[in-house]
Every structure is written in structure tokens, then in C-alpha cells.
Amino acid sequence: MAVVGTSTKRIDGIEKVTGTAEFTTDIVLPRMIHAKLKRSPYAHAKILGIDTSKAEQMPGVRAVITAADLPDVRLGVLTLDEHLLAHDKTRLVGEPVAAVAADTPEIARAACEQIEVEYEELAPLFDPEEAIKLDPPVVLHEEYEEYEKLLEIAEMDERPPNLWQAYRIRHGDIDDAFKKAEDEGGYIIENRYATGYVHTACMEPHGAVAQWSSDGSLTLWAGGQSPYIARDGLAKALDLSPSKVRVIVPFVGGAFGGKLTVKEGAIAASLAHKAGRPVKIILTRAEDLAATAARTPFIFDIKDAVTKDGILIGRKVTSILWGGGYSGEGILKPIFSTHLYPGSYRLAALWVDSYGVYTNRVSGGALRGYGCAESAWAVETQMDIIARKCDIDAVELRINNLLTEGERTAITMPAHAFSAHECLTKCADAIEWETPSESLESPWYRGKGIALGNKYSFAPTASSTELKVHEDASCELRTSAVDLGQGAYTILTQIVADEFGIEIDQVKLVTPDTAITPFDHVAGSSRQTFHTGNATRMACDDAKRQIRELAASKLEADPDDLEVSGGRISVKGSSKSIEVEDLFVVEMLAGKRPAVDEIIGKATWEVTASPHDPNTGQGEEPMAYMGHGAQAAEVEVNVETGQVRIRRFVSAIDVGKAMNPQGVEMQNYGGGCMGIGIALHEDMCFDANGEMTNASLMDYKIPSIVEMPLNEYMESIIVEVPHQHGPYGAKGAGEIVVVPTSPAIGNAIYDAIGVRIWDQPLTPEKVVKAWKEKQASGNGSGS
Amino acid sequence: MENFAYVNAADVEQVPSLLSDDWTETKMIAGGTDLLGELKEYIETPKKVVNLKSIPGLDKINADASGLAIGALVTLTDIAAHPTIQHHYTVLAEAAGSVASPQIRNVGTLGGNLCQRPRCWYYRNPDIICLKKGGDTCYAVEGLNKYHAIFGGGPVYIVHPSDTAPALIALGATAKIVGPNGERTMPLEDFFVLPDVNPQRENVLEPNEVLTEVHVPQPKMGTKSTYLKVRERGSFDFALSSVAAHFEMSGGTCSKANVVLGGVAPIPWRSVEAEAALNGKRITDAVAKQAGEAAVANAEPMTDNGYKVTLTQNIVSRAAMRLA
């Protein structure tokens, strides 16, 4: 029976539920000591001096480091603007300025308090609209021009000094579109939207264990998303050759985009070097929430030109990503967020100016949906407003504007395996879109909302795997793909089992270890099933080719006439066959050579892409693939208390081919839950000093099970429109599941009580205020 | 967390002698759902922790004709699930059942729920020495105060986080306290103190005193009660605003209304204004609306928490309608 396409129990499930799975925090090495970071209390300050002498003299303290102990290297993703430990300035509250390793975490913490840092406070800058000015009140990076940059930004007459990203789309004649809408009785619809500060809030906080060998090589255990990005980052930060760095990824307790860098790991490694002992660092929950990269807000100004029949003919967008002290993983967001402006829709004219700026708050990072989840909030709310303005059903309006297979979007992405229509209609059917919500007794109101979404998977990118076939016909897959909880290990195991016609438990996975497993780009951008899946299939093919060649002489047949399945090699159309085991007859003591020493298949799957012109947003095929999905929500809103309950939730996503249908279902549910939290609750709050005030899981409100609809009202729909390049036609599912959630819920709230809330999250406070304003003005605020 | 000595108390009488007369030296632990967080976050660093769970008999609920006697170690789960409490002291069962999450209610005790420390994010920040912790500033005044007090604030603007306290005050409960000089009893309403009396504490307890029992008089025939709580999340969340309402009814008229608010003031806040608007009235929608308006007539919202005035007004009206 085919294993791919059949619901399969997670191969890591037993270990995880029985508590035997080893996470970074479980690792204990002989002579290991513990690290803590001394962090800046100021959002913006000059460092005049650091005195570590008191800390160094404390019993149990083994090493103290500051920037002076580290190579003077600036790090970053594409703009290299950040030191491991603050050099001359700190640019956000919580930026590490020194680090201590000691016998216990308590001693290390106490020693950090004994480190005296002399600061000269500088005026902080928090407002992105101030930050983007040509003459801003504060400049964060005076030496920006000298920084190494790996990506070109759009040309500007003069770069605002706090700006680190600028990207434009110039497609079609935008002025003509607005003129046409005006002249021909259409509509011009203009609104401002904002997303909130959201944290990945993984169950497992950031951490690492670092150990040096006597030959000067470093081993780091860290539950991150990419061992190779980590390896290269450590090598750069510590001025080592990558060959001297080994990164091992234990089980990971969630990542969601938040575990791409190894800042803490590199600091632990530096301490370990100085102390001559292994060092463990595990961030506290407060540090994890307040001082690791977050999904920082976007501000979107969108102006749409629509014909009177509800056809979108032009869209103009200006957006600012509210970046933090450093550009970090936020660097590509102003670019990638633009994929949603056309999204699945045909747009004759699209004009976008998208920026990212520094401010003295937490740095912008990745979080499930990287830019798309944010721009979808604006775009799909806008679509609902347009539908109501044109008095056209919101599903029908969307369908009327959809692209068709083979067309190119306004940003030249080909519409392939284009399933938006199917996702949308299946979703609408499941929530009984045609039937309006029942009326409830005051103060509760019910309403339905729907939204479309897309998630690209970036390119260029590559994945390599190795597949070793053992004597007993079991297979061992060596991969640097990481299972963050998304189920990658199970899917890759399924592929191998399927390709070799063997059972799941005959497949062994060798998990990420850069000393053993080959390159894989990253567990990110919903790419693991697509890219590593392809590489795995190809490595299986390579191993089977070797087996056929080895078996050919024994079976006296042409290799092309052989097939490998279930541990046997058979001649097609004949009863002649041998066991895989027969290839491994080892008779060395009898003076014979082994028939085979090792069978190892190898493959690299690569997708190239040409970068877009940052001045026009035009180019060749820019991404590996584009995913589609739709979600619908029925909400209940209490206008007296502002509480919003999700009564029903439907998530219909296209995965091309559901490799593990149960896994896709879990993505639909889990993503829905995360999306509900982002839409309704999650909100990092910062006081006037730039410090996060709610850095605990009591006050930073991730959803609980109670926020989810009851089982029978939570529906997962799997759409399968195969992609020509996906393994078995598959596309990724990991991120699309959070993209349409917020606008679906926001649109449902409007349907229920007739108010729009423009900035996430949609808290009781905002609902009550908006309702009160509506009562006072006698009408809705949605226009 | 810092190391500390751990001592099991043998009986109630022994507890004061195990405790220091300095707040920073010793702490009591029962369910530990609040204290452990404070220890781990270095909000408190006591030298000694005195375990109360080792005291026999404090985990009992006794219901008789005089009312309820609830030991300080009774868990919130046991209170919420107690049939007599559900039936005759509904507001208390509902309030206890609304606390946090099932796991926390299974270990969290009544004594702990009444004596828990504030959730103010400045107070809970180990790097901030605020007025509540012996400093000289309440950072909520100039800072972010969307969860802070709209009644009774100053010089500290925390809100009291307990759900059971408003319910018990609405029911007219009394508290039994044991200290070095023996036992004392007082109305639970008098147990809590405003910050202008003591900015660093939320109640009258001395560092070497322990709350051992709460007594609730048997409600008169025909009384009705309910607890409404607004929170951002559906569970595991403190009240943005809550109301405990306990009405004595005679012939469709509310003869005596007890209305106590939670989550809006540094102590459970009796709304004498709402009570006056309800006493002696037949509860119509209009009367309920007036009660809500009266409840917030004297509210003093801060910069970010004006919405709590609206919430409070609405839930007081809603509670009154529910009991009509």
C-alpha cells in the first residue's frame, strides 16, 4: 500500500509524549557550566565603559565576556548591522552587552548584576513614521553606509538615514486606473491598516550548548531551524572556518521563524572558549519574549480602484515595516509582503512603495507567514469592504477578480496549480456562506467572514539528502531538514518507505548534524516537503539505480529491466529476483572481496530564481511555488464586553498532494489556533522607555484550547491541485494556514456588529470602543 | 531562583512562630501557584518558606445551618464543585470556577486566592522597584495602565486579582486570622486595605499572621447571586472587570443588593452606588441600566483604561438582569 498520501502516525510522537525526546535543555555534558546575559536597560545609549572586575571575582564565575573579547564582526541576514554583544551603542532594551558563565545559572545571574556598565542615554526613536523622515530626530546607525550589504534596495534620491529596505512595484498605469474608476462610476477605496507586535512564543525558549574540542573545533547543540545557517553564522561571528564548526539539532520545541539565528549559541561558544568548559545557555521566558526577534508591525496604506461592477483595476500601496534596532530576519519582509498585493487577483495596475526602518524596539524577525500574513490582513479586509461597497457577495467578488491558470500576476509570478477558486468555494460551502448567521439574544451577535490567502516559498534554494541502504534492506535517510513540529521527519520517512516499498519502521532518519548530514537550506518558508521531499525522492532513485546496476550481473539482466521494492530486486515480467541482502555477501575471511561496501544514494534539489528589480518589482519567476488557501470564521461578539468567540472555523488549503493527511489536518487546526491568537489576543506592549511590559505568558496572551471552536465546528479541508515541480505534486502547508485567519475573523466581526477595527489584535478593549463609537454616530465605521 | 529553607508547619498555632516579622524573610506556601512565579522571577527572595499543606484539617468545607466554613487550604476546584455552594452560594462557585485554568484550580487554594499578590506588570518586573515593592513611584501612572485601577487608586494603582474575594464579600463572609497573639476575626471586606493605608500590602495581615478560614453566613431564603467576569482570553486570565452580585429578593423586589467589583480597584470594590440604585426596586431593564450607570458614576479612569468603565457598567447591568 502506498505510504505517501496515507495518514501516518508521527514518527517522533512516542518520544515526545513519553518525555524521552531530548531537547537542548536536556543536554548535560561533563564539566558543563551555565551562561547568563547582561542586557541593556536602555533603548538607545552609548556605552562609555564596562567594568566586569567584580563579577569576575565572584566564586563560581568561570568566564565573563564583552564585545572586547569577540571578533569585531557585524552580523545580519542581508544587511550586516549587528554585533553579538553591543559594541559602542545599544539600540534596544534587552540588547546583550556582556555575558557570564558560572557554575550555576543563579551565580551567573548574580554576577551579571555585578557588571557595571556606564551608559550615556540617547534619545530613543520609536515611531516608524518619524524614523522614515529624511531628517529624523534620531539616527540609529550612523555608520550604515559602511555596513556590508548583500542585497540592493530601490534607488532613492536620498536615503532616509534610518531606512534599511526600500522596494517598489511599478506595473501598469496606476493614474489611469484611478481616473477610470472615477470617470466610469466606479469606486476608489482607501484605508490604513496595521498589524501588531507578535512573538513566536515557542514552548521551548531559545538556548544552546557549546563545547570545544582540543583541535579548536566547536560543537553546538541548538534547537534551531537550520544547522547550516547556524554553522555559517557561528563561523562568521567567531572568525572560524565553517569546517571547524559542527551544529547538531536536537528535538525542537517550536520555532515558527524565531529560531533562525544563533546569537545566544555564539555567545555561549565564546564563553565556553574562554572558560575551557562546555557552556549551556537557556533564555528565561521573559528574555525570550522581550529580547528575541518578533513579528514587528506593518503600517499599510492601500488605495484601490474598482469598477462599478467590482472589478479591481488598480492598487496603490505604501507600507512601512516597523523594524527594531537591527534589520535581522525582517530584511526581506518589505519585499515578500508584496506578494499579497496581487495575491490571487488580476491587477492591471499595481504601484507599491514598501519600506523598512530602524527604531529602538525589538528587532523584526520571521513568524509563520513572513510578510504575507501581515499584508493579507490589509488586502483581504479591503476585499470585504469593496464587496460591500459594490453590493456584491464577498465570495463572488473575489471569484470575479481571480487569475486563471497560466496567467502571470502583477509581480510576474505565474499562476500555476492555481487553486484559489476551489479553496474559496469549498470553504464557503463548509461554513454555509449562503445562509446568514442566526440572530442571538442581546448582547451577543453572530456573523461570518471569509478570506483568501497565499504563501510563496522562496527561491533560490537547495536541499541535499543521502540515502544509505543497509544489508537488511532498511534505509537510512541523512537529512539536515528539521522537524520543528510540522511533521517533516514523518513525511520524509513516508517518502523513503514509499520509494522502496518498505514499512515505515524500516526507515531510519539521521537527523541534522553538520558533521554527518548534507546541506539543507532551512526549515522555513514552507519548503521542507517541497524541496527536501524532492531531494529525498532523487536520493532514493540514485540508490535504486546503484542497486539495479549491482544486481544486473547477478540477475543476468539489463539494469533498466530491474525493479526494487520490498527488499527485493526483480526482473520485470519474470520471476527472477534476489534479495537486497544478496548484494552484501561479505566473505572477506575466505579471501573474497565484499560485493558491495556501501550503497549510498545522493541528490541535490535546487531551484534557481532571478531576483526582482527592486525598482519595479518585475523579473522572471521569483519564487519556488505559490500556495493557496481560504479560511472562514463565524464569530460571536458580545457588544457589552467586547469578547469575541470563534464559533465555527473552516480552513481549506491546497497542499498539491497531502503526503500525510493527518499532518495537514493538524496544520489546519494548529495554524488556525495560532491565527486566532494573533487576530484576537497577542500583543507585545512597550512602555515609553521601549521596554516590553508583558514579557510573560500570563500577560502575553497566546490562545488556550478555550479559544478554539468546539470540535464539530472546526473543519479542515484539504485541497489537492498538484504542482508540476512538487514531489508527488505536493506543496507546503506550514504557513498558509495562518495567512487568511485575521481578515476572516475581522470580516466576521463586521458582519456581526458592523464595525471595523483596523489594527490588530481585535481585543475586547477595541471592540467595545468601536461599538460605542458606532452607537454614538449611529452607523458603522467601515467604509 | 534563590535557595531557601523549607519548613513544614505542624499546626495552625505553630505558623506565627515559624514566620518572621519581616516580610522579606519568610513566605508561606500552599498551592504555590502565585509564590512559585514570584520566586522564579526574583520578585521575592525569602530565606525561609513555610509549607501550610502539612497542616491537617484546613482543607475542609463545613456546611451547616449557620453557613459555610471553608478552610484556607480548600482548593478552588473543590469550592466550584461543591453542590451546596453551587446551589446556595452560587456567586462563590462561579467565581472559584472562573479562576485561571483547571490545573491551577486543582492546586490553588482559597487562602492563596485571597492573599495573592497583584498582577501589575511593573510590580512583576524584577528590575523595577516600584512603590509596591518599597520604591517611590507607581509606574502605572505615567506608564501603560490598560489593566489598572479605575476606582480607589493612589498612590498605587494595582487592581486586586482575586475572583473569590468579591464573591465572598458579596456574601458577607468573615475571615479568621491567626497570629502571635492568637486568633482574630473580621469581615472579609475589612481584611483588604487600600494603598493609601498601606501601599505595599493588599490586606491587614502582618508578616507573621496567617489567614486560616473563611466563614460565610447562610443566605436568606429567596436570595440569588451570580458572578460575571470579563477577560481577554476564555480561560487562564485575570478579570479586566468582574462583578459579584448577591440580591435578597422579596416578591420580585430586590430588598438588599450586594454588588462587589473585581479587577477594577486595589481591593474588591463594593459599589454602594449600584446597590443604592437597586435596593427596594423591582429589577427592570431600566433599573439594571441605572445600576450600571451608578456603578461607574464615580470611576476615575487612567490614560489607557477608560474602556474598563464601559465594561464595568455593562456587566453590572447584565448581572442585575440575570438576577431579576
Side-chain angles (χ1 to χ4, degrees):
Chain A
M1 193 178 83
V3 185
V4 164
T6 308
S7 281
T8 303
K9 266 189 248 166
R10 299 181 66 105
I11 63 159
D12 51 343
I14 299 284
E15 275 174 285
K16 281 182 175 166
V17 298
T18 56
T20 54
E22 192 172 73
F23 293 83
T24 304
T25 192
D26 298 317
I27 292 167
V28 177
L29 300 175
R31 302 178 70 244
M32 187 179 84
I33 53 175
H34 302 270
K36 288 280 175 189
L37 302 177
K38 172 82 174 177
R39 295 177 180 277
S40 166
Y42 299 113
H44 199 192
K46 255 189 205 156
I47 298 173
L48 302 177
I50 306 178
D51 183 354
T52 59
S53 54
K54 279 189 200 156
E56 281 162 11
Q57 285 156 22
M58 285 174 66
V61 170
R62 304 288 173 176
V64 182
I65 58 166
T66 67
D69 296 279
L70 296 165
D72 184 5
V73 183
R74 284 196 187 89
L75 308 167
V77 176
L78 291 169
T79 293
L80 311 191
D81 57 7
E82 183 173 12
H83 282 97
L84 218 44
L85 292 171
H87 246 228
D88 44 349
K89 265 175 87 169
T90 75
R91 296 180 176 88
L92 57 124
V93 173
E95 180 167 0
V97 293
V100 176
D103 291 352
T104 68
E106 286 79 11
I107 296 172
R109 182 185 187 274
C112 282
E113 290 186 351
Q114 294 302 315
I115 296 173
E116 288 165 11
V117 185
E118 194 188 341
Y119 294 101
E120 179 191 327
E121 263 191 270
L122 301 170
L125 177 64
F126 299 126
D127 182 346
E129 293 182 283
E130 287 288 314
I132 204 167
K133 286 180 177 167
L134 280 171
D135 185 19
V138 171
V139 175
L140 270 75
H141 291 263
E142 297 87 343
E143 295 165 12
Y144 178 87
E145 296 299 341
E146 291 155 34
Y147 294 169
E148 188 182 352
K149 299 168 201 81
L150 310 176
L151 187 80
E152 209 180 309
I153 67 171
E155 288 162 20
M156 311 187 85
D157 294 339
E158 190 185 346
R159 183 186 65 87
N162 289 311
L163 180 134
W164 46 258
Q165 183 60 275
Y167 186 75
R168 296 195 191 99
I169 295 172
R170 296 291 183 264
H171 170 79
D173 188 336
I174 192 73
D175 294 330
D176 186 54
F178 288 118
K179 190 171 180 301
K180 199 172 163 195
E182 260 176 15
D183 293 350
E184 297 176 15
Y187 306 98
I188 292 172
I189 295 170
E190 190 171 6
N191 289 301
R192 167 169 274 213
Y193 301 86
T195 54
Y197 268 99
V198 186
H199 203 275
T200 54
C202 302
M203 274 202 285
E204 180 200 28
H206 289 73
V209 178
Q211 182 177 40
W212 293 83
S213 304
S214 52
D215 66 351
S217 65
L218 167 68
T219 302
L220 189 96
W221 290 259
Q225 292 175 241
S226 169
Y228 280 88
I229 290 177
R231 184 196 67 166
D232 295 351
L234 285 164
K236 187 164 176 74
L238 304 173
D239 197 17
L240 292 165
S241 161
S243 70
K244 290 279 188 193
V245 182
R246 176 182 183 185
V247 175
I248 299 171
V249 182
F251 275 113
V252 183
F256 305 106
K259 290 179 182 166
L260 289 158
T261 59
V262 281
K263 187 161 181 160
E264 298 79 21
I267 293 170
S270 185
L271 284 167
H273 195 265
K274 192 163 180 181
R277 285 169 171 244
V279 170
K280 178 190 276 188
I281 185 166
I282 303 288
L283 298 194
T284 64
R285 181 57 64 185
E287 287 179 294
D288 199 70
L289 285 169
T292 65
R295 190 182 105 172
T296 60
F298 266 102
I299 298 168
F300 303 103
D301 286 298
I302 298 202
K303 185 176 172 185
D304 285 337
V306 185
T307 69
K308 63 180 189 308
D309 306 320
I311 299 300
L312 203 54
I313 53 174
R315 170 168 285 167
K316 193 172 180 180
V317 185
T318 305
S319 75
I320 306 176
L321 175 65
W322 190 339
Y326 302 95
S327 56
E329 293 96 29
I331 190 78
L332 288 166
K333 267 196 180 178
I335 303 176
F336 288 0
S337 58
T338 63
H339 279 270
L340 255 286
Y341 299 140
S344 296
Y345 305 116
R346 186 177 298 115
L347 260 177
L350 176 64
W351 185 286
V352 178
D353 294 277
S354 186
Y355 304 108
V357 293
Y358 293 116
T359 70
N360 291 111
R361 280 199 185 170
V362 65
S363 297
L367 188 152
R368 208 176 192 179
Y370 198 80
C372 285
E374 292 98 309
S375 43
W377 166 240
V379 167
E380 286 298 303
T381 308
Q382 189 78 350
M383 293 307 279
D384 197 65
I385 292 169
I386 293 169
R388 288 173 186 276
K389 192 97 184 171
C390 299
D391 198 21
I392 299 173
D393 174 80
V395 171
E396 192 187 328
L397 177 109
R398 285 179 171 84
I399 289 172
N400 293 345
N401 281 287
L402 287 181
L403 294 156
T404 53
E405 179 78 22
E407 266 186 271
R408 280 188 178 243
T409 69
I411 55 170
T412 70
M413 185 73 198
H416 169 64
F418 189 77
S419 50
H421 187 279
E422 187 177 341
C423 293
L424 192 58
T425 50
K426 283 190 167 163
C427 194
D429 289 347
I431 202 136
E432 299 169 275
W433 183 253
E434 302 292 332
T435 315
S437 288
E438 258 175 68
S439 299
L440 298 179
E441 250 177 64
S442 170
W444 289 96
Y445 292 80
R446 254 187 210 164
K448 293 178 188 176
I450 198 162
L452 259 182
N454 302 99
K455 181 64 183 58
Y456 61 82
S457 186
F458 71 73
T461 189
S463 290
S464 298
T465 58
E466 289 177 9
L467 192 283
K468 174 170 173 165
V469 181
H470 287 266
E471 290 88 331
D472 59 0
S474 69
C475 291
E476 173 187 313
L477 180 71
R478 298 169 185 168
T479 175
S480 295
V482 184
D483 199 319
L484 316 160
Q486 86 280 45
Y489 291 162
T490 305
I491 285 177
L492 298 176
T493 301
Q494 287 177 277
I495 291 175
V496 175
D498 212 66
E499 293 295 321
F500 276 88
I502 55 178
E503 300 297 321
I504 287 281
D505 59 9
Q506 288 176 279
V507 182
K508 182 190 162 168
L509 225 60
V510 178
T511 55
D513 176 345
T514 58
I516 303 167
T517 56
F519 178 82
D520 196 292
H521 196 156
V522 59
S525 206
S526 307
R527 62 177 294 289
Q528 215 90 89
T529 296
F530 193 91
H531 298 291
T532 316
N534 270 318
T536 300
R537 254 191 127 174
M538 290 161 67
C540 289
D541 281 346
D542 187 40
K544 286 199 285 189
R545 177 188 57 76
Q546 294 176 38
I547 290 171
R548 284 198 304 268
E549 283 171 5
L550 289 163
S553 61
K554 293 203 175 205
L555 285 165
E556 295 169 334
D558 189 277
D560 292 342
D561 293 334
L562 301 181
E563 58 187 8
V564 184
S565 181
R568 295 195 73 81
I569 306 123
S570 339
V571 183
K572 284 181 203 162
S574 114
S575 59
K576 271 170 67 179
S577 70
I578 56 170
E579 302 275 340
V580 167
E581 193 183 354
D582 297 334
L583 301 175
F584 289 88
V585 179
V586 180
E587 297 173 60
M588 291 184 91
L589 291 178
K592 293 181 185 172
R593 286 189 60 233
V596 178
D597 43 9
E598 279 199 304
I599 299 170
I600 299 182
K602 292 183 183 181
T604 296
W605 165 266
E606 194 177 358
V607 174
T608 55
S610 56
H612 270 179
D613 179 347
N615 299 302
T616 64
Q618 307 296 300
E620 294 300 311
E621 184 161 343
M623 293 285 157
Y625 71 86
M626 187 63 113
H628 301 92
Q631 289 177 337
E634 183 171 33
V635 302
E636 294 178 346
V637 185
N638 182 325
V639 295
E640 291 180 354
T641 64
Q643 287 161 304
V644 177
R645 295 196 297 235
I646 310 295
R647 180 174 181 269
R648 279 165 96 179
F649 185 80
V650 181
S651 182
I653 57 162
D654 171 26
V655 294
K657 163 81 179 174
M659 309 289 281
N660 181 5
Q662 191 183 51
V664 180
E665 206 173 313
M666 292 303 117
Q667 287 283 14
N668 262 330
Y669 295 154
C673 181
M674 191 170 191
I676 288 168
I678 292 169
L680 297 180
H681 307 289
E682 297 185 39
D683 189 17
M684 298 168 70
C685 302
F686 295 87
D687 69 11
N689 303 317
E691 180 168 6
M692 184 180 174
T693 55
N694 57 338
S696 77
L697 289 183
M698 188 69 247
D699 293 325
Y700 179 77
K701 297 180 181 179
I702 58 171
S704 73
I705 194 69
V706 179
E707 271 60 59
M708 302 285 282
L710 297 173
N711 256 359
E712 61 267 37
Y713 294 120
M714 186 92 189
E715 191 166 343
S716 157
I717 296 173
I718 299 174
V719 174
E720 293 180 299
V721 178
H723 191 282
Q724 58 181 342
H725 299 309
Y728 311 86
K731 295 175 257 193
E735 295 174 286
I736 182 81
V737 286
V738 297
V739 174
T741 325
S742 287
I745 291 170
N747 293 339
I749 292 174
Y750 186 88
D751 190 50
I753 63 169
V755 301
R756 292 270 175 214
I757 297 160
W758 308 96
D759 54 327
Q760 292 176 334
L762 317 176
T763 56
E765 174 185 355
K766 292 178 193 168
V767 172
V768 160
K769 275 183 188 163
W771 176 254
K772 225 179 157 178
E773 280 163 21
K774 186 195 169 192
Q775 298 306 102
S777 70
N779 58 55
S781 57
S783 55
Chain B
M1 65 176 84
E2 296 290 340
N3 289 336
F4 51 80
Y6 187 74
V7 185
N8 287 318
D11 53 41
V12 167
E13 290 68 32
Q14 191 200 10
V15 175
S17 67
L18 297 173
L19 293 167
S20 162
D21 57 6
D22 178 345
W23 282 112
T24 63
E25 292 283 317
T26 52
K27 292 286 159 212
M28 288 175 277
I29 188 165
T33 58
D34 188 18
L35 185 68
L36 277 176
E38 291 209 305
L39 298 179
K40 284 182 174 177
E41 299 296 332
Y42 294 83
I43 309 302
E44 296 283 4
T45 51
K47 303 271 186 302
K48 182 163 82 177
V49 171
V50 177
N51 178 30
L52 304 177
K53 293 287 258 191
S54 49
I55 301 173
L58 277 190
D59 58 349
K60 298 281 186 294
I61 300 174
N62 286 312
D64 60 25
S66 76
L68 282 175
I70 312 176
L73 293 181
V74 173
T75 66
L76 298 164
T77 296
D78 286 346
I79 293 172
H82 196 279
T84 307
I85 298 179
Q86 286 177 348
H87 199 245
H88 296 292
Y89 307 83
T90 313
V91 62
L92 178 59
E94 288 178 356
S98 78
V99 174
S101 63
Q103 292 92 330
I104 287 175
R105 293 196 293 273
N106 285 342
V107 291
T109 62
L110 179 65
N113 190 261
L114 294 172
C115 298
Q116 63 184 305
R117 302 309 312 276
R119 301 306 313 184
C120 169
W121 45 31
Y122 296 105
Y123 167 77
R124 295 272 165 175
N125 183 330
D127 299 329
I128 292 177
I129 306 302
C130 66
L131 191 47
K132 182 118 283 287
K133 289 192 275 194
D136 56 13
T137 307
C138 175
Y139 290 89
V141 177
E142 300 279 321
L144 300 187
N145 49 44
K146 71 172 176 172
Y147 298 127
H148 288 80
I150 56 171
F151 294 105
V156 168
Y157 288 82
I158 60 128
V159 295
H160 201 278
S162 175
D163 289 304
T164 57
L168 286 165
I169 292 172
L171 288 165
T174 53
K176 193 192 283 184
I177 296 164
V178 172
N181 304 319
E183 192 179 293
R184 58 181 175 137
T185 302
M186 62 172 65
L188 188 63
E189 190 169 3
D190 298 339
F191 176 75
F192 297 100
V193 295
L194 279 167
D196 60 0
V197 177
N198 183 351
Q200 292 180 36
R201 309 302 308 175
E202 297 79 56
N203 56 53
V204 299
L205 286 181
E206 294 294 328
N208 49 11
E209 288 185 314
V210 55
L211 173 72
T212 58
E213 190 184 279
V214 171
H215 187 268
V216 191
Q218 169 108 307
K220 289 182 185 164
M221 289 294 284
T223 58
K224 294 180 181 177
S225 69
T226 194
Y227 187 71
L228 294 183
K229 175 178 178 179
V230 189
R231 49 187 159 184
E232 291 180 331
R233 268 194 299 222
S235 79
F236 194 40
D237 209 356
F238 291 91
L240 296 172
S241 176
S242 69
V243 56
H246 175 78
F247 294 178
E248 289 175 14
M249 306 292 288
S250 55
T253 300
C254 175
S255 50
K256 184 173 190 306
N258 285 350
V259 178
V260 184
L261 308 175
V264 291
I267 57 171
W269 191 255
R270 178 180 286 276
S271 179
V272 289
E273 298 88 349
E275 290 172 354
L278 292 159
N279 282 336
K281 303 263 174 60
R282 177 175 292 276
I283 302 171
T284 59
D285 284 1
V287 167
K289 187 162 180 280
Q290 282 160 15
E293 286 164 2
V296 297
N298 297 321
E300 294 175 311
M302 304 170 80
T303 47
D304 305 331
N305 65 4
Y307 73 99
K308 288 176 74 165
V309 176
T310 312
L311 296 186
T312 305
Q313 178 183 337
N314 289 339
I315 59 169
V316 168
S317 300
R318 185 58 58 184
M321 282 195 269
R322 186 185 271 194
L323 298 184

